[in-house]
Every structure is written in C-alpha cells, then in structure tokens.
Amino acid sequence: MDFKALRHQMVAQQLQARDINDQRVLKAMATVPRHLFVPAHLSGEAYTDQALPIGHGQTISQPYMVAFTCQLCRLHGHETVLDIGTGSGYQAAVLSLLAKKVISLEIIPALAETAQTTLVRLGYPVQVIRKDGKLGYLPAAPYRAILSAAAAATPPPAWSSQLTSPGFIILPEGLTYHQVLVRYTFDHGSLAKETYFPVAYVPLV
Ligand code: SAH
C-alpha cells in the first residue's frame, strides 16, 4: 500500500478542502506516518476520515480533529505544549513538529507504554508520562497550550494555573459523547471562550 500517497490525499481532501490552512499543521500532517500509530490490522484504514479503535476502549482521533485542534493552538515552534490523553501517541507526534517541547499524559499504562515505544522508534521527541491529566504536569509548566483529547464538563482547575499568558486550553466540553469543542484563551487576566462544533470524544476519567 502506498501510505505516502494516501497521506497526501488525506491532507488535500480532508484538511485543505475544509478549513485547515496553517501551513505548518498541513506539513506535519503530511509527514507523520499515521498508519504506524494504529493497530497493524487497521493500517489500511489509517488515512480514512474517521477515528479508529486502538484498544482499551480508546480511539485515535479523526485526522481532521487532530489538525483542527493543533491549528487552534497557534504554534510557531518555540512553545511547550501539554497533550492530555496520549492514546496512540499520534497527536503528540504531530504536535512535536509544531512546538519545541511536548509532554503527553496518559492514564492507561499499556497505552502510555506502546505510545512511548512508537514515538521513540520513529524519533519524535515526546515525553509520555503515565499520569492523571486532570492534574496537569507542573514540572514542565508553563504551557502555551493544554490540549485534551478526552472530554470534561469543564476544564480541570489545575490547567489554567499551568499556562503561559497568552495561553490556550482546547477541550471537548460536555457530557460523555455529546460535547462541543471549545478554546479558552487566557491573556493577562482576561478570559475568552470560543465554541466550535459538536464532537464525540471519550471522557476524561
Ligand atoms: N490523542 C490520542 C487520542 C486518544 S483518545 C491519539 O492521537 O491517539 C483519549 C485518551 O485519553 C485515551 O487514551 C484515554 O485513556 C486518555 N485519558 C482519559 N482520561 C484521562 C486522564 N484523566 N488522564 C490522562 N489520560 C486520560
């Protein structure tokens, strides 16, 4: 299978044809081999327009959602980012091409281990930590963005205290499988909330 061709087709048809226009995000999505982050028997579906199961009741997000949420972080390459819910490690790999430093937190030990192995093997400099993402991760704070791939009714309180100013929290906000994607911008004491579209993410447990 020509995965590179499928990947470029994914970028053109699922990302550029919609509203992904951050050139660095498009380039990262065209680079990271998504088929190596899904279970081997699903590698043929890796570049389709959908989320896929990765075991333990979890999923790797749809490519468009990965690109859209990365674009919302407005990264230039010098930032530190906290990725909540490592899962397969795919979004963390994409983020590592967009920021200077990426810390990724995963609560399921087996997923954290597999993701770290994949990321090391492919040479993506992501630090995966087995830890409850709700607490954030103080040792590497502050973060330009805290990006969650798991949903919660509101952002856990610890997160805003670990942001730079300005800083972003990207969160699927709401109840299990019925959420809206939101971005909070904290900027020198002011707080703005932008709401995008309905999404269906696994819950932050
Ligand atoms: N970004 C991932 C998508 C993972 S799905 C990827 O690219 O593949 C969301 C992940 O969040 C799951 O792996 C789930 O185990 C994890 N998760 C759920 N609650 C969590 C918590 N409290 N802390 C850390 N990770 C959590």
Side-chain angles (χ1 to χ4, degrees):
M1 213 172 273
D2 186 348
F3 289 114
K4 192 174 173 195
L6 291 174
R7 191 158 60 244
H8 284 267
Q9 202 174 56
M10 168 194 89
V11 169
Q13 296 176 356
Q14 300 171 34
L15 309 183
Q16 280 178 303
R18 292 178 181 148
D19 52 359
I20 308 302
N21 46 37
D22 181 324
Q23 294 305 314
R24 297 180 71 244
V25 171
L26 291 168
K27 192 172 171 204
M29 295 293 295
T31 306
V32 179
R34 182 172 163 94
H35 63 283
L36 300 179
F37 288 86
V38 302
H41 70 281
L42 293 176
S43 61
E45 291 176 61
Y47 296 100
T48 56
D49 193 14
Q50 59 183 339
L52 293 170
I54 55 171
H56 306 272
Q58 306 302 325
T59 55
I60 177 174
S61 310
Q62 178 192 12
Y64 173 72
M65 288 310 306
V66 172
F68 190 84
T69 53
C70 284
Q71 183 167 274
L72 286 181
C73 294
R74 293 205 188 136
L75 300 168
H76 297 284
H78 57 272
E79 304 88 350
T80 302
V81 174
L82 184 63
D83 174 55
I84 309 283
T86 313
S88 67
Y90 175 69
Q91 181 142 22
V94 173
L95 284 167
S96 77
L97 298 179
L98 301 171
K100 185 171 178 193
K101 184 171 179 184
V102 179
I103 309 287
S104 187
L105 307 181
E106 172 56 55
I107 205 162
I108 299 179
L111 287 177
E113 218 167 281
T114 306
Q116 183 73 87
T117 303
T118 307
L119 289 160
V120 168
R121 181 163 57 91
L122 298 175
Y124 292 107
V126 174
Q127 194 183 345
V128 178
I129 299 167
R130 282 159 49 168
K131 193 173 181 297
D132 182 355
K134 291 194 286 296
L135 305 173
Y137 186 66
L138 210 43
Y143 304 100
R144 169 55 59 99
I146 298 180
L147 189 159
S148 182
T154 54
W159 292 0
S160 60
S161 66
Q162 296 181 19
L163 289 178
T164 59
S165 184
F168 303 115
I169 289 174
I170 318 290
L171 176 73
E173 189 174 87
L175 304 171
T176 307
Y177 301 112
H178 292 282
Q179 310 113 21
V180 285
L181 184 70
V182 302
R183 175 173 68 184
Y184 290 93
T185 303
F186 295 78
D187 194 355
H188 298 90
S190 78
L191 169 61
K193 179 179 179 180
E194 290 153 289
T195 299
Y196 297 94
F197 40 74
V199 288
Y201 277 82
V202 299
L204 188 70
V205 295

